[in-house]
Every structure is written in C-alpha cells, then in structure tokens.
Amino acid sequence: MSDLHLSTLAVHAGYEPEKQFGSVSQPIMLTTTFERENGVPREHIYTRTENPNRISLETKLAILEGGAEAIAFGSGQAAAYAVFQAVLEPGAHVLIPDDCYHGIRTLFAQVYQGWQINCEEVDMSEVSKVVDAIRPETKLIWIETPTNPKLKIFDIAGISKIAAQKGIPVACDNTWATPFFQRPFELGVEIVMHSTTKYFGGHSDILGGAVILKEKGPLGARIRAVQGTGGGVPSPFDCWLLNRSLATYPLRMPVHSSNAFTLAQFLDQQAAIERVYYPGLATHPNHEIAKAQMRGGFGGMLSIEVKGGKEKAVQLAENLQIFTHATSLGGVESLIEHRRTAEGLNPRSPENLLRVSVGIEFIGDLVADFEQALARL
Ligand code: PLP
C-alpha cells in the first residue's frame, strides 16, 4: 500500500469496510473492554492498551510519515514526554533548539526538575554548534524545524549524520511541516513526533499527538510501554475524528502553504512590519536549507514583528476581522496570536511578535483583511 500517493493513503490506509455490516465509515468502538472467549483474550483486551480506532489511526500515521510504527497519544506534549521517558535516564544530557515550542522547554524546567536531566539549548542553524554541544552523556538530539515561533530551519540530514556517527538518536518534531512538505526519515532521523492537534487534525477541534519510529524495535517497545502503562492515550472518538480529518489533510496543505507564501510576501512589503519570518522568502537566513529539505512548499505558518512594540502588535491582531486572535495553529481558519502572552514560564518571543497560522480561506480576502487592519493602526 505504501507505493500509493499520499492523497490515496490519507483516505484508505488503516481501514477497510468492516465485515458485519460493511460500514464504509469506521464504527467508533466506544468500549473500554473486550469480551474474552473461554477466558482467553481475542484480538483486544482493554482500550488503554489497544482499540480498533487507535490501531487504524496508528496504521495511517505510520504510512503517511513513511515510518514502521506509530504510537498515538492524547496530545503532542504526551507524545514528546513519552520519547523523553523512553530515551533519557538520570544524568542524561539532551540537546534542544534555542527556538522551539515553549512546552518542550517547560517540560524540562518543570516536570523533569529534580530528575538530573541536563537539557541544553543550542542554535541548531549551524551544524557545527550541535557538534560542539555533544557530550559523552548526550542521549538525545531533539530537532524542531521550522521552529515555533521564529521559523528557524535546521539541516536535518547534517545533524542526523553527526548524531549517527556518535550513536545518538535524533527526534524531529514535524508538526509544522508535516510529511507533506518534509520527510525526516529520509533525512536520517529515527523518531518523528507530531502534535496531531495541528495540521493532521486541521479543524481546531481535536487534541492529539503521535510518535512515529523509522524501524520497529526496542525503542518503539519502550515508547509503546509508556503509552499503554503511562496511559496518556487518545479516546476512540479522538482517533476516529483524527482519522476522518486525515482524509482531507493532503488537500489542505498546499492551500495553507500557498496562502502563507503570498501573505508573507505582502507583509514583507509593508512599512509597519519590521520583520517577516517565513522560510519561503529568499531573505530568510536558512532559505537554502529550507529549499533543499522541504518539498512542494514551506508550510502555513509565519511570524511578524510589528513596528511600535507590543501595543501596535496587539492592535494589529485586534484590527483583523477574518483572523481570530487565539493560540494554536494548523486549522482551516486563520489565527493570529501575540505569542509572548501564550508562552507562560520564561517567555522568549519579542514583545512585538505575532504568530500567524494561515488558513485555507480565499487569499484575496486574507490580504485585504491585513490591508484594512494595517490602515487602521
Ligand atoms: N510541537 C509543536 C511544534 C507545537 O506547535 C505544539 C503546540 O503548539 C506542540 C508540540 C504541543 O502539542 P499539543 O498542544 O498537542 O500538546
């Protein structure tokens, strides 16, 4: 099946009409437990450890990302946490990007406080900085590219090559690019993580996460144990809804990306905008790497810095009528947010930074909305 196009896989992978009624849409198995036959479990035992809707979802996710196995969680954070649980140990050193989803930093600062995990932030835009930061006790390199919120781009193949020489696993948070634009397994990473809350879900109505492994093996088994025994699993309904959303994911992505590109180019020309962060712009410092490792587009996310500080930035966000001022991303509707406000503990984003999740509305309307919002600044 994996020879088929992503669009076909997104519709069909993981489910065939069930035999009893021939239901074309997968029934939702709203059960916590499964009957045994003469005391012996049949296919399934208990929904925390497995459920038909979750198996379908995991099958589809593994195929879409080009991995051997996917393990689904109740949120992106639960998925990331499972990787850390499975790979790290007291005394371990882990490298994370100096710009990345703030929740990852917060996990190490809050949840792992006292666990003797040494988390070091590195500007991974230069592979040599990653090389310099590696120590004998480095147990994991965590990449996120493009990064949240400054859309830094890291050379996945370059970092993976160095890591492989040292025997260090590399995990890549592929939430923003998704396999539609970026295929980390083909660039050498072993672990891909997703917040499926975002583009895979696509409608701002479902929270989820996944870890996908390039190969089946002991690492996958450890992450599977964190899933089943740790229990941070998605419900059968969440799995069903995500499976449904995935069918239209390959249709949505090119629209997100072309809308974002056009909007980035427009914003780049505006006197009130100090800086545009979008890897598709030739002026982006890592544009060449982005062009080499992303295919068919640069994704639907961009950030801007507004002249005049926080006040003007918030006013711009409020002036917009189609863009909703809210956190999160990857849904069909365009969102904008004053990022620093959402970053909780130790915020890093500049006061004048707005993060934009460009939806799939008509691009002319989105540009016109910015035109009127900028005119009223
Ligand atoms: N990774 C990235 C890149 C994100 O943008 C987010 C959330 O915004 C997460 C992980 C966390 O995902 P979740 O909110 O599903 O836990």
Side-chain angles (χ1 to χ4, degrees):
M1 189 155 209
S2 50
D3 292 345
L4 297 171
H5 190 274
L6 194 78
S7 296
T8 311
L9 295 170
V11 173
H12 291 285
Y15 176 67
E16 282 178 16
E18 51 81 35
K19 297 289 174 261
Q20 193 180 359
F21 299 108
S23 175
V24 170
S25 165
Q26 185 177 31
I28 307 174
M29 292 287 174
L30 281 183
T31 183
T32 51
T33 191
F34 296 85
E35 187 189 27
R36 297 180 186 199
E37 229 165 52
N38 303 320
V40 180
R42 283 147 62 181
E43 222 177 315
H44 309 298
I45 301 175
Y46 186 58
T47 281
R48 194 183 70 233
T49 46
E50 79 279 289
N51 173 283
N53 297 103
R54 202 168 85 211
I55 292 171
S56 289
L57 172 65
E58 290 176 340
T59 305
K60 187 179 278 189
L61 288 172
I63 289 176
L64 293 181
E65 191 60 66
E69 178 181 18
I71 305 167
F73 291 88
S75 69
Q77 281 296 88
Y81 189 63
V83 174
F84 301 144
Q85 287 281 321
V87 174
L88 303 178
E89 61 199 15
H93 175 241
V94 52
L95 298 179
I96 66 167
D98 62 347
D99 186 58
C100 72
Y101 174 58
H102 76 93
I104 298 297
R105 280 200 313 270
T106 309
L107 254 182
F108 285 107
Q110 279 188 329
V111 179
Y112 277 109
Q113 204 188 28
W115 287 66
Q116 292 157 338
I117 305 281
N118 187 352
C119 173
E120 184 176 344
E121 294 179 25
V122 183
D123 176 7
M124 298 188 177
S125 325
E126 286 172 48
V127 177
S128 62
K129 292 196 177 157
V130 180
V131 175
D132 291 347
I134 290 173
R135 302 182 195 170
E137 62 275 19
T138 306
K139 293 284 182 258
L140 178 69
I141 301 177
W142 182 266
I143 308 181
E144 180 184 306
T145 177
T147 62
N148 178 358
K150 287 191 172 169
L151 292 115
K152 283 189 174 188
I153 301 290
F154 306 137
D155 177 354
I156 301 175
I159 295 172
S160 299
K161 197 170 155 197
I162 296 297
Q165 285 163 4
K166 308 254 181 198
I168 304 167
V170 177
C172 179
D173 182 337
N174 204 25
T175 300
W176 279 28
T178 83
F180 194 91
F181 298 118
Q182 181 168 275
R183 318 241 347 141
F185 289 136
E186 292 171 15
L187 300 169
V189 318
E190 282 119 300
I191 307 163
V192 167
M193 173 259 160
H194 277 278
S195 165
T196 56
T197 311
K198 315 300 179 187
Y199 289 105
F200 283 168
H203 297 75
S204 305
D205 56 7
I206 176 173
L207 206 62
V211 179
I212 304 159
L213 284 309
K214 188 175 186 175
E215 312 282 352
K216 283 199 172 192
L219 178 59
R222 281 205 297 279
I223 296 173
R224 184 72 71 190
V226 178
Q227 178 201 45
T229 311
V233 292
S235 71
F237 179 68
D238 288 345
C239 295
W240 178 88
L241 193 55
L242 187 53
N243 244 324
R244 206 240 343 222
S245 296
L246 281 166
T248 56
Y249 143 76
L251 291 179
R252 290 183 266 113
M253 293 316 285
V255 187
H256 283 294
S257 181
S258 74
N259 279 359
F261 203 163
T262 306
L263 191 62
Q265 285 171 317
F266 167 79
L267 291 168
D268 206 28
Q269 300 301 315
Q270 303 308 306
I273 306 297
E274 201 166 289
R275 183 164 179 187
V276 179
Y277 298 88
Y278 188 69
L281 295 180
T283 48
H284 185 286
N286 315 119
H287 177 63
E288 290 308 316
I289 300 171
K291 257 199 326 197
Q293 74 184 12
M294 299 180 83
R295 300 216 188 113
F298 300 93
M301 295 299 298
L302 61 93
S303 292
I304 52 177
E305 286 184 31
V306 183
K307 282 185 190 153
K310 178 178 178 180
E311 196 191 329
K312 288 284 178 197
V314 171
Q315 194 190 331
L316 177 60
E318 291 299 316
N319 284 357
L320 287 161
Q321 287 165 0
I322 296 174
F323 290 77
T324 303
H325 193 167
T327 196
S328 202
L329 61 112
V332 289
E333 64 289 295
S334 291
L335 301 180
I336 190 159
E337 84 164 319
H338 181 251
R339 187 62 192 150
R340 196 177 169 87
T341 312
E343 283 176 340
L345 200 72
N346 301 325
R348 295 275 179 83
S349 292
E351 287 285 7
N352 65 341
L353 187 139
L354 295 174
R355 195 188 70 182
V356 188
S357 171
V358 187
I360 61 167
E361 301 94 335
F362 176 59
I363 184 59
D365 291 336
L366 298 181
V367 171
D369 196 20
F370 260 99
E371 271 169 345
Q372 68 77 24
L374 286 164
R376 293 196 290 128
L377 258 194

